[in-house]
């Protein structure tokens, strides 16, 4: 399924730091980001989530190899959320976090200074504001914003796969990334940096049907074949869910598609609050969609959250097509040298 290379973009590519817990759909997101000409991946930082952080590093490096990706720095970050221990999603992503792909281990070395230093340096050294794309529990991002608040000055915004309007996956009301580290999500939403939440409501809508991913699996390009196998794994896991069961989920990659092509997403700016109390609602993103003043405000009870651009709709077919065209176009020309890349190893 080889396509001609994508047309080079006429505007400079968006500098991006990807924070991941690779993860089946994080792997798809890495593929898309590395191969889309409008995205310049400056750094990849890893955090515990779908699997433990060391496995996340291993998986991310192996996916870069499969992509034949240029040199891009990858760093290990937090091994547990701000409070409590890590609770993985291996029942969804497999024991290795990649659905049992057994990818060859990479000879690429992670950045020795760790995720926070890599994020700090990459953001501050960038001549243009950086978009931070969070596809995992927000532990690294919250630690960064608290430890080095000066980075906010050079952040264009944060696009985070996280939260849900209409019901969760980790619990009846909480989406996994927010549920895994609710305090981190609350810190990020309160940081003052513009945040777009690519939540479950849109995440669950972008799928690749079996007839397409079966073709990908036979592709001579190892990255495209890997994408086919990952999508097949995803389909197997979600098959019984009538809301998404007609294909493999593009998942986190959809959030990166929206960075390359913002028109794919419809957002509304609403106050969002992360429920932190122990119990059934912990990790829920409570989104205030009211138009009329509520009794809370009338009686002086502060129940409002922070204003966030919440994704309410996605052009799911166009997103799927953009994803497929991009990964099938093969490796992109390097985005060129810059200070951040020069210090990556
Ligand atoms: C999120 O949790 C993980 O399983 C996926 O990688 C995605 O980031 C969906 O809730
Ligand atoms: Ca993820």
């Amino acid at each position: 399924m080889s396509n001609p290379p994508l047309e080079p973009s006429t505007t400079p590519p968006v500098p991006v730091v990807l924070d991941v817990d690779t993860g089946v759909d994080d792997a798809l997101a890495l593929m898309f980001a590395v191969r889309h000409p409008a995205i310049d991946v400056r750094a990849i930082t890893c955090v515990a989530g779908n699997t433990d952080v060391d496995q996340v590093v291993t998986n991310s490096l192996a996916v870069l190899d499969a992509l034949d990706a240029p040199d891009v720095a990858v760093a290990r970050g937090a091994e547990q959320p701000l409070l409590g221990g890590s609770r993985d999603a291996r029942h969804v992503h497999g024991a290795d976090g990649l659905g049992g792909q057994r990818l060859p281990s990479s000879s690429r070395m992670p950045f020795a200074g760790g995720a926070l230093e890599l994020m700090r340096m990459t953001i501050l050294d960038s001549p243009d504001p950086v978009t931070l794309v969070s596809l995992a529990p927000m532990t690294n991002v919250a630690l960064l914003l608290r430890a080095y608040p000066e980075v906010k000055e050079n952040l264009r915004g944060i696009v985070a796969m996280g939260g849900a309007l209409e019901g969760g996956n980790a619990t009846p009301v909480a989406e996994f990334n927010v549920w895994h580290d609710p305090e981190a999500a609350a810190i990020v939403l309160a940081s003052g940096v513009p945040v777009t939440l690519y939540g479950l409501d849109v995440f669950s809508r972008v799928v690749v049907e079996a007839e397409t991913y079966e073709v990908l699996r036979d592709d001579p390009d190892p990255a495209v074949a890997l994408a086919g196998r990952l999508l097949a794994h995803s389909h197997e896991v979600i098959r019984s869910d009538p809301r998404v069961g007609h294909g493999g989920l593009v998942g986190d990659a959809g959030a990166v598609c929206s960075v390359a092509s913002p028109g794919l997403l419809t957002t509304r700016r609403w106050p969002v609050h992360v429920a932190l109390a122990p119990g059934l609602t912990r990790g829920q993103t409570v989104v205030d969609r009211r138009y009329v003043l509520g009794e809370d405000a009338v009686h002086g009870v502060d129940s409002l959250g922070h204003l966030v651009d919440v994704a309410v709709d996605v052009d799911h077919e166009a997103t799927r097509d953009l994803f497929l065209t991009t990964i099938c176009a093969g490796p992109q020309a390097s985005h060129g040298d810059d200070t951040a890349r020069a210090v990556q190893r």
Side-chain angles (χ1 to χ4, degrees), residues 20-22 25-26 50 135-136 177 252:
V20 295
D21 60 341
T22 317
D25 58 322
D26 303 75
N50 290 325
L135 304 175
N177 289 339
D252 287 341

Side-chain angles (χ1 to χ4, degrees), residues 21-27 49-50 89 92-93 134-137 161-163 169-170 174-178 200 203 249 251-252:
D21 60 341
T22 317
V24 168
D25 58 322
D26 303 75
N50 290 325
V92 172
H93 294 264
S134 164
L135 304 175
M161 190 290 133
N169 53 0
E175 179 280 326
F176 176 78
N177 289 339
V178 176
L200 276 185
F203 174 95
L249 270 182
D252 287 341

Side-chain angles (χ1 to χ4, degrees), residues 141-158:
V141 183
L143 289 169
L144 173 79
L145 295 172
R146 282 292 170 92
Y148 305 113
E150 62 271 27
V151 298
K152 294 181 197 175
E153 298 301 318
N154 207 27
L155 278 178
R156 180 196 275 202
I158 297 171

Side-chain angles (χ1 to χ4, degrees), residues 268-290:
R268 297 288 304 277
R269 187 160 296 179
W270 281 318
V272 179
H273 169 88
V274 180
L276 298 177
L280 191 59
T281 60
R282 182 164 162 80
Q284 180 178 10
T285 43
V286 179
V287 183
D288 190 348
R289 289 177 272 178
R290 295 173 296 178

Side-chain angles (χ1 to χ4, degrees), residues 17-21 45-47 119 132-137 140-141:
V17 171
L18 290 169
D19 192 60
V20 295
D21 60 341
T45 51
C46 301
V47 67
M119 288 167 133
L132 182 45
V133 181
S134 164
L135 304 175
N140 285 346
V141 183

Side-chain angles (χ1 to χ4, degrees), residues 95-328:
D96 64 348
L98 281 183
Q101 295 305 318
R102 297 175 184 277
L103 298 182
S105 59
S106 176
S107 59
R108 295 171 193 247
M109 293 297 293
F111 173 74
L116 293 199
E117 178 55 16
L118 179 62
M119 288 167 133
R120 185 195 70 80
M121 190 173 71
T122 306
I123 295 166
L124 292 181
D125 286 352
S126 174
D128 303 309
V130 170
T131 299
L132 182 45
V133 181
S134 164
L135 304 175
M138 296 184 222
T139 320
N140 285 346
V141 183
L143 289 169
L144 173 79
L145 295 172
R146 282 292 170 92
Y148 305 113
E150 62 271 27
V151 298
K152 294 181 197 175
E153 298 301 318
N154 207 27
L155 278 178
R156 180 196 275 202
I158 297 171
V159 176
M161 190 290 133
L165 281 167
E166 307 293 353
N169 53 0
T171 78
V173 295
E175 179 280 326
F176 176 78
N177 289 339
V178 176
W179 170 84
H180 196 266
D181 196 340
E183 280 72 22
I187 288 170
V188 171
L189 265 50
S191 68
V193 178
V195 174
T196 301
L197 279 183
Y198 185 92
L200 276 185
D201 317 271
V202 287
F203 174 95
S204 306
R205 295 194 54 212
V206 188
V207 298
V208 175
E209 292 79 3
E211 55 268 32
T212 303
Y213 68 64
E214 289 300 348
V215 176
L216 301 183
R217 282 167 81 145
D218 293 332
D219 198 280
D221 179 340
V224 176
L226 174 61
R229 299 198 302 276
L230 293 171
L231 288 161
H233 172 86
S234 163
H235 193 184
E236 213 38 58
V237 172
I238 61 171
R239 200 177 279 279
S240 61
D241 184 339
R243 296 168 299 176
V244 284
H246 57 291
L249 270 182
V250 161
D252 287 341
V256 193
C257 290
S258 76
V259 175
S261 186
L264 295 171
L265 217 53
T266 306
T267 60
R268 297 288 304 277
R269 187 160 296 179
W270 281 318
V272 179
H273 169 88
V274 180
L276 298 177
L280 191 59
T281 60
R282 182 164 162 80
Q284 180 178 10
T285 43
V286 179
V287 183
D288 190 348
R289 289 177 272 178
R290 295 173 296 178
Y291 291 96
V292 176
L293 206 59
E295 282 68 23
D296 52 357
V298 170
H299 297 290
V301 182
D302 178 16
S303 61
L304 294 183
H306 297 274
L307 281 177
V308 169
D309 290 319
V310 180
V312 294
D313 197 11
V314 61
D315 186 336
H316 59 96
E317 289 177 347
T319 303
R320 175 202 61 201
D321 293 347
L322 176 66
F323 171 76
L324 291 170
T325 314
T326 302
I327 64 159
C328 292

